[in-house]
Amino acid sequence: MLPFVNSFMSWYLKKRIPVMEYSFANPAEVQYKNFKHLLGQVSNTSFGKEFKLNEVKTIKQYQERVPLFTYDQLKPYINRVMHGEQNVLWPGETNWFAKSSGTTSDKSKFIPVSYEALEDCHFRGVRDLLAWYYYYNPKAKVFQGKGLIVGGSHNVNELADNSFYGDLSAVLMNNLPFIATQLSTPSRDIALMPNWDKKLQKMIDATYQEDVTNISGVPTWTMLLLKGVLEKAGANTIKEVWPNLELYIHGGVNFNPYKNQFNALLGTDSVKYRETYNASEGFFGIQDTLNSDMILMLDYGIFYEFVPLEDINNEHPKCLWIDEVELNVNYAVVLNTNGGLWRYILGDTIRFTSKGPLRFVISGRTKSFINAFGEELMVENAEKAITITQEKLDCQVSEFTAAPIYLTTQSKGRHQWLIEFAKEPADIEEFCKILDLELQNCNSDYEAKRHADLALLAPLINICKTGTFTDWMRQNNKIGGQHKIPKLCNNRKILEEILKIRNEKN
């Protein structure tokens, strides 16, 4: 039966390939069509009537009439939907909300997830990634075994009848089609347990004897699960436990710093890695082939706008659409979605590396960088430098975060790094030296500030014991699911909290 299911799914998924190829070749046409459709949908909602969107005919008119929104600015509309009012941001009922990391004023964000967002965006993204995987790997057997999903938890939103929230992965799991639930592991009652520590052990017990062919999850939490599975099974490598494992789908953080650790855990180079760019707000990009940058997916019911990062804090920032972007420029992503987000500043920055098709890399966050001394160090720079440094010194970084040590009248400024190693370097001073040089190679502004120690001293690195970052996440209720360690911060708040835990452990 399973070989038939695998063959059918391969045929079914690959039917989308010509449609995707057309959208890649005609990005402006596809995006303009999305814009007109979304405009028609929102015009008769409360939001649309407030801004008189039925009068809007062009993209420029829309941009002039509707301001850019942060989550906090859009929150009053979202709260109305959470309390049961409908037809506010999107026509029809919206009963699901994806809970994600909060803003400066709130612990959590609650992103509305409409039926259209589920079907035409989130689920389509997963199907399309698998379509390309089968296209390039015609002998793939993903559907002849189980898919292991390392996800979040689910809670009932009691603000209204028939209204629910949870991590994005939990929202998706609660709405999976029947065949997908039959081909996934662990069972839903385990996958949606709210207590991560208890769930982790339950997941290990429930999955180590399954025939797992594919895994989806954030690298940090997936590694914890894999290590637990090895211990439970008494095995040296995951390939001994799951010999048919062939695909790992990851996202949320840069995978390069984790890749060597995964290779060691898996014990084989036959497992394919594929990256996705998805968030509570939508599914945006997929890695179609190995070692490629991701492709921006254009027909998922999202109309994209892009603000050059240097303009994001201006009163009237320059807003571009897909027909106006340039290569190798850091853009803040602005979304208009079939979930009811309008001119919404996502908080991520991307950089286009190709226009045919539109390929990109995630370069960081609009607020996740260090620019205390004019160095403009992006997460992308830090992750690349870490990856190269650990390869040169045969070490493995598990987690890291960095923040500035500010200038004083007595001393110059510098960056302080807290690093947790899976495999420590033989010489931490050499690690610091190479990391510093690689950061300079990645970022000319950082290089200029570091020149002759004139404005910025070499980094200060503090090694953290295993579990330090996990303890910080546990203290901040960020254990499991899609939670991630902030890599770079322009202030010292998070670093000081982790540093306190480090010092207590030493």
Side-chain angles (χ1 to χ4, degrees), residues 185-444:
T185 189
S187 60
R188 186 179 296 181
D189 61 325
I190 295 176
L192 298 177
M193 288 177 64
N195 184 303
W196 168 257
D197 294 317
K198 292 181 180 179
K199 179 169 73 173
L200 178 61
Q201 190 56 53
K202 290 278 189 180
M203 290 179 71
I204 293 167
D205 294 341
T207 61
Y208 84 102
Q209 290 184 316
E210 293 277 12
D211 181 15
V212 173
T213 59
N214 62 103
I215 303 173
S216 303
V218 174
T220 312
W221 307 112
T222 303
M223 279 202 305
L224 285 176
L225 177 67
L226 295 182
K227 290 176 181 178
V229 167
L230 289 179
E231 184 177 350
K232 178 73 177 182
N236 294 315
T237 68
I238 289 297
K239 200 64 175 178
E240 297 173 28
V241 184
W242 298 322
N244 296 317
L245 179 66
E246 60 176 284
L247 176 64
Y248 173 49
I249 301 170
H250 60 88
V253 297
N254 187 327
F255 185 60
N256 287 330
Y258 297 94
K259 190 171 182 179
N260 289 339
Q261 296 177 67
F262 267 83
N263 288 340
L265 284 170
L266 296 177
T268 177
D269 58 4
S270 64
V271 176
K272 306 292 194 303
Y273 301 123
R274 290 294 185 272
E275 184 176 7
T276 64
Y277 179 24
N278 63 314
S280 300
E281 291 86 353
F283 200 117
F284 316 122
I286 61 174
Q287 185 183 27
D288 56 331
T289 61
L290 187 64
N291 298 323
S292 69
D293 295 333
M294 286 184 284
I295 296 181
L296 189 68
M297 304 307 288
L298 303 168
D299 63 345
Y300 286 9
I302 297 174
F303 176 71
Y304 296 98
E305 296 177 77
F306 304 93
V307 178
L309 185 58
E310 60 193 30
D311 288 352
I312 192 63
N313 293 318
N314 293 347
E315 185 177 355
H316 301 290
K318 181 193 302 182
C319 294
L320 311 175
W321 70 296
I322 207 69
D323 203 34
E324 301 170 316
V325 296
E326 299 176 0
L327 300 182
N328 300 314
V329 175
N330 282 317
Y331 290 111
V333 180
V334 176
L335 302 174
N336 303 271
T337 78
N338 52 8
L341 301 178
W342 306 108
R343 307 211 72 207
Y344 175 90
I345 302 172
L346 179 61
D348 290 345
T349 61
I350 69 171
R351 177 170 52 81
F352 289 103
T353 58
S354 165
K355 286 192 175 183
L358 281 156
R359 293 190 181 275
F360 68 94
V361 294
I362 302 170
S363 55
R365 298 277 295 172
T366 57
K367 295 182 180 179
S368 183
F369 57 87
I370 303 178
N371 192 32
F373 315 102
E375 67 275 43
E376 296 189 18
L377 188 68
M378 305 291 292
V379 171
E380 178 188 24
N381 307 144
E383 290 175 328
K384 183 177 181 180
I386 283 283
T387 300
I388 295 173
T389 302
Q390 66 181 8
E391 288 176 354
K392 286 186 175 182
L393 296 181
D394 188 28
C395 59
Q396 293 180 355
V397 173
S398 297
E399 294 290 355
F400 73 88
T401 192
I405 297 177
Y406 299 108
L407 293 162
T408 68
T409 54
Q410 289 81 31
S411 64
K412 297 177 182 178
R414 68 198 311 182
H415 294 171
Q416 183 174 10
W417 292 67
L418 301 183
I419 301 179
E420 190 174 306
F421 290 96
K423 179 182 179 183
E424 289 191 19
D427 186 341
I428 191 62
E429 291 185 5
E430 183 69 9
F431 181 93
C432 180
K433 179 181 177 181
I434 294 177
L435 176 63
D436 184 34
L437 290 173
E438 292 303 331
L439 289 169
Q440 294 180 52
N441 291 336
C442 293
N443 186 305
S444 59

